Amino acid sequence: MTQLLFRDDAYVREASATVLAVGPEGVVLDRTPYYARAGGQPGDAGTLAWDGGETSVVEARKGEGDAVLHVLPEAAIPPPVGSIVTAQINWARRHLYMRMHTALHLLCAALPGVGVTGGQIGADKSRLDFDMAEPPTKEALEAALNALAAGGHAVSDRWITAEELDAMPSLVRTLSVQPPRGAGFIRLVRIGPEDAPIDLQPCGGTHVANTAEIGTIRVTKMESKGRQNRRVSIVLEEI
């Protein structure tokens, strides 16, 4: 088991940790600020440093249970089991993913009631696929997204049980992928106030604390991917 520090604070950039296991698939720590690839969001990259050594981390990926595999370059020398390391993420990369991921939540908010059929978060661009026949114009959607981002809405989360989620099926926007239920609890991410959220849905990713941190969103493309499947691609301007 790895303590996932980003769940409590997505702004943690580094942490001291103990090496639990080392293998060809990666290094497992007892705690980590690294987000492991999941839900369309890439895993974090960065470095591990210890007394007498240092190595880069190519990407963090999921292991068994809540274990995080810190994948090293092929020829890297890993830290010894039991050693204390400083695990540091590539913050510029992570923060961009946090902005992108939150922007995709706003994209869901701008298209209420529309199911999501797929998605991908990238450093250069991100996209969501929606089950809808007649999308709004690119210009109207972009204006709505930027109004939401500029509104400075707080982003927060809380945990609910699987039974609570079953009682509120409309919270799940993804049509093909259900939120993980292995631990019996599901993390809900909320944008806006609790009594009138702009967006509320299960999500295990990392997000900014306020929508104003996203910056300007550009809708670059709206494509038809089937009779009722529409792909919306976005990019973010530098801040």
Side-chain angles (χ1 to χ4, degrees):
M1 295 286 288
T2 304
Q3 183 184 357
L4 308 178
L5 301 178
F6 62 83
R7 280 186 175 171
D8 295 322
D9 186 359
Y11 291 81
V12 173
R13 305 185 187 193
E14 67 174 64
S16 177
T18 300
V19 178
L20 299 180
V22 174
E25 297 170 333
V27 176
V28 178
L29 308 176
D30 67 335
R31 59 201 301 266
T32 186
Y34 280 72
Y35 176 81
R37 173 185 288 270
Q41 180 174 331
D44 285 324
T47 59
L48 298 179
W50 62 97
D51 187 17
E54 181 173 341
T55 180
S56 60
V57 175
V58 176
E59 186 183 31
R61 298 175 187 164
K62 284 192 170 186
E64 293 187 11
D66 271 345
V68 173
L69 296 169
H70 301 77
V71 181
L72 307 185
E74 190 172 338
I77 298 175
V81 173
S83 61
I84 305 299
V85 300
T86 298
Q88 184 177 62
I89 63 172
N90 180 329
W91 173 248
R93 183 176 185 263
R94 154 70 81 76
H95 189 242
L96 180 54
Y97 289 143
M98 288 164 61
R99 293 168 58 214
M100 280 286 199
H101 201 149
T102 313
L104 291 182
H105 279 258
L106 293 186
L107 183 54
C108 286
L111 297 168
V114 181
V116 176
T117 58
Q120 189 65 47
I121 300 168
D124 298 323
K125 65 178 180 179
S126 298
R127 53 92 175 170
L128 285 179
D129 296 347
F130 293 96
D131 181 25
M132 60 179 173
E134 296 296 333
T137 66
K138 187 169 71 170
E139 293 75 17
L141 186 56
E142 185 175 286
L145 285 172
N146 283 296
L148 288 170
H153 305 287
V155 183
S156 58
D157 64 77
R158 67 183 179 93
W159 293 84
I160 62 172
T161 64
E163 291 74 20
E164 288 177 295
L165 182 63
D166 289 338
M168 300 180 287
S170 62
L171 292 180
V172 181
R173 297 289 298 273
T174 52
L175 299 179
S176 58
V177 180
Q178 290 293 309
R181 296 166 176 255
F185 290 89
I186 294 96
R187 180 174 177 249
L188 279 185
V189 172
R190 181 178 67 248
I191 299 178
E194 186 170 358
D195 57 348
I198 292 167
D199 184 70
L200 179 66
Q201 59 179 300
C203 186
T206 60
H207 311 82
V208 294
N210 190 287
T211 60
E213 202 172 330
I214 297 170
T216 302
I217 306 167
R218 298 297 180 207
V219 177
T220 58
K221 190 180 293 186
M222 298 180 70
E223 306 171 85
S224 174
K225 292 295 181 178
R227 187 169 60 87
Q228 285 204 188
N229 202 42
R230 301 294 181 267
R231 175 167 295 177
V232 181
S233 299
I234 65 169
V235 299
L236 302 181
E237 292 190 356
E238 291 187 16
I239 55 174

